Amino acid sequence: MSSGSSGAPGRLETLLQRSLVRPRVHPVYSPSDLEATTVVHLEPKTFGDKVARFLVWFARKGFDFVTGYKLLMVLQSLEEKRKHGYLMTVEQWMARILFLESIAGVPGFTAAILRHLRSLRLMKRDGGWINSLLAEAENERYAPVYSHRPRRLIRFVSLPARMHLLTFMQIREPSMFFRFLVLGAQGVFFNAFFLSYLLSPRAAHRFVGYLEEEAIVTYTQIVESMRRGEIPEWDAGKKQVPQFAKDYWRLSDDATMLDLILAVRADEAGHRFTNHTLANLSKDDFNPVALKHAPPKIEGTKLGFTREESFEWARKVQEELTRRPVVSKGEGEGAGEGAGEGAGEGRKE
């Protein structure tokens, strides 16, 4: 939180000012982390929440129709699935993923632009929001590569931006018609989100949180379909995961498409968690995940921190980084009990 806002850890901005190296890098997911991501939905409470949820629902219905996607509910046999159009081809899955990922990078970058301009206009620090939003949009990290010895850093690898989209583009190159559709969709979505963020940043972040919920539903459906053998083109040994994706997520040399999809889904859970957290904050609050993410198992199952939990998490992270206790004015009132759980676990970095 920016200086002067009540309830925020007092020295967090000083800590940011003195930090020459960003402590956040892309997480290393353990097998249990990857399986921890679950499909959860936030119940709309405010009018802004309800509008955001409706817009996501409406957009999803149209997107499902265009891509031929149907959410599998009760049909079990392959014959029933084929009859009712529940089995998608690998081409349909790829079209859906590519379009989804080409649009998913718009909100974070748009919000970062507006937060940046606001910071310049008001001539004060942003509280760690801009970096998080840009990281979400670009997925650009300096990912450390470790030797077989525990925690020994060998080198830094600068990896391309927009990793989800670039990874899947290595698997299937989109057509010119598809690129034209993306161009039109981005033009409409960028301007709509730009105006929405000016009117209500909270509702805009809630919208993105709901959008990420639907992305997790899609990737979970892909995981379940692969495990049932319904996407044979992606069976182990049939489709190779791009090498730069193995480097980025630090997957094994024999990684399969299932491993890749699980890693992407875990990333989406982090985006869902971050945006629902930001939607619970005031625009002058400090971003609690600016310095360190919550553990993947929390991000995979929890729909963000409340405002009180955000203060508590930021305080614990500061204590961990400075190795001394932090006492903040007014912080103890109403702090969530579960916010600090796993603060020392964080995402493996």
Side-chain angles (χ1 to χ4, degrees):
M1 183 188 294
S2 58
S3 58
S5 300
S6 62
R11 294 195 300 274
L12 275 172
E13 291 200 0
T14 302
L15 181 63
L16 276 176
Q17 290 171 340
R18 294 175 180 175
S19 297
L20 299 179
V21 180
R22 296 181 191 178
R24 299 191 339 162
V25 294
H26 197 274
V28 181
Y29 297 118
S30 68
S32 61
D33 291 337
L34 295 174
E35 296 295 341
T37 301
T38 57
V39 176
V40 289
H41 295 291
L42 181 72
E43 190 67 26
K45 296 179 180 179
T46 67
F47 176 74
D49 290 352
K50 293 176 181 179
V51 171
R53 186 72 188 99
F54 171 78
L55 290 175
V56 170
W57 173 85
F58 183 78
R60 167 146 199 153
K61 288 297 182 182
F63 188 41
D64 289 349
F65 176 77
V66 171
T67 59
Y69 174 93
K70 293 182 180 180
L71 179 60
L72 186 62
M73 292 294 186
V74 296
L75 302 180
Q76 296 298 325
S77 69
L78 290 177
E79 291 75 14
E80 283 185 304
K81 296 171 190 174
R82 292 193 182 102
K83 178 180 177 181
H84 294 278
Y86 282 99
L87 278 184
M88 292 175 64
T89 65
V90 67
E91 290 79 14
Q92 288 176 309
W93 279 123
M94 285 304 304
R96 183 177 181 84
I97 291 172
L98 287 170
F99 193 86
L100 176 68
E101 296 298 348
S102 67
I103 298 299
V106 173
F109 207 88
T110 308
I113 291 173
L114 292 172
R115 294 284 308 190
H116 174 67
L117 294 176
R118 179 178 182 271
S119 178
L120 295 176
R121 186 169 62 252
L122 300 181
M123 299 181 186
K124 66 178 184 179
R125 293 183 61 81
D126 182 64
W129 288 55
I130 295 173
N131 286 342
S132 292
L133 293 169
L134 287 176
E136 178 182 322
E138 297 181 2
N139 251 5
E140 186 174 23
R141 305 286 193 276
Y142 283 98
V145 177
Y146 295 93
S147 70
H148 295 293
R149 297 180 183 180
R151 305 300 296 172
R152 182 181 178 186
L153 181 64
I154 298 298
R155 60 192 173 92
F156 278 85
V157 179
S158 179
L159 293 166
R162 299 162 298 279
M163 279 301 299
H164 293 183
L165 179 61
L166 293 181
T167 296
F168 289 111
M169 283 182 63
Q170 287 289 313
I171 298 171
R172 181 177 184 240
E173 186 71 18
S175 66
M176 290 303 297
F177 177 71
F178 185 89
R179 293 171 184 268
F180 177 77
L181 291 178
V182 169
L183 176 64
Q186 282 186 345
V188 173
F189 186 47
F190 174 84
N191 287 286
F193 190 81
F194 185 94
L195 294 174
S196 299
Y197 204 89
L198 287 175
L199 294 174
S200 176
R202 278 187 171 182
H205 282 295
R206 188 70 75 201
F207 172 84
V208 179
Y210 285 133
L211 201 63
E212 297 295 351
E213 289 182 15
E214 298 303 326
I216 292 172
V217 170
T218 293
Y219 282 117
T220 298
Q221 179 73 355
I222 295 175
V223 168
E224 293 175 353
S225 295
M226 292 180 70
R227 287 174 170 166
R228 289 193 298 261
E230 296 171 355
I231 313 179
E233 295 87 349
W234 287 353
D235 287 346
K238 289 189 177 181
K239 194 68 178 179
Q240 187 165 351
V241 176
Q243 184 59 47
F244 68 83
K246 295 178 184 178
D247 294 336
Y248 183 71
W249 283 284
R250 277 158 270 179
L251 302 175
S252 62
D253 290 336
D254 59 349
T256 65
M257 283 296 294
L258 179 60
D259 298 326
L260 174 62
I261 296 296
L262 286 170
V264 171
R265 185 181 68 167
D267 282 353
E268 303 294 358
H271 298 164
R272 175 185 66 186
F273 182 91
T274 298
N275 278 280
H276 278 317
T277 295
L278 296 180
N280 292 333
L281 301 177
S282 298
K283 59 184 177 182
D284 289 324
D285 286 344
F286 182 82
N287 173 16
V289 296
L291 296 176
K292 185 176 182 180
H293 280 288
K297 290 179 181 177
I298 291 181
E299 291 187 339
T301 57
K302 185 177 174 67
L303 289 167
F305 286 144
T306 65
R307 191 165 186 256
E308 292 75 17
E309 289 172 336
S310 295
F311 296 159
E312 177 66 11
W313 175 260
R315 182 186 65 81
K316 287 186 176 292
V317 170
Q318 184 182 355
E319 287 182 347
E320 180 183 326
L321 294 176
T322 60
R323 297 183 180 179
R324 57 185 177 182
V326 175
V327 179
S328 302
K329 182 179 179 181
E331 67 164 343
E333 299 178 5
E337 296 179 359
E341 295 178 4
E345 301 172 12
R347 288 186 176 185
K348 296 180 182 177
E349 300 177 353

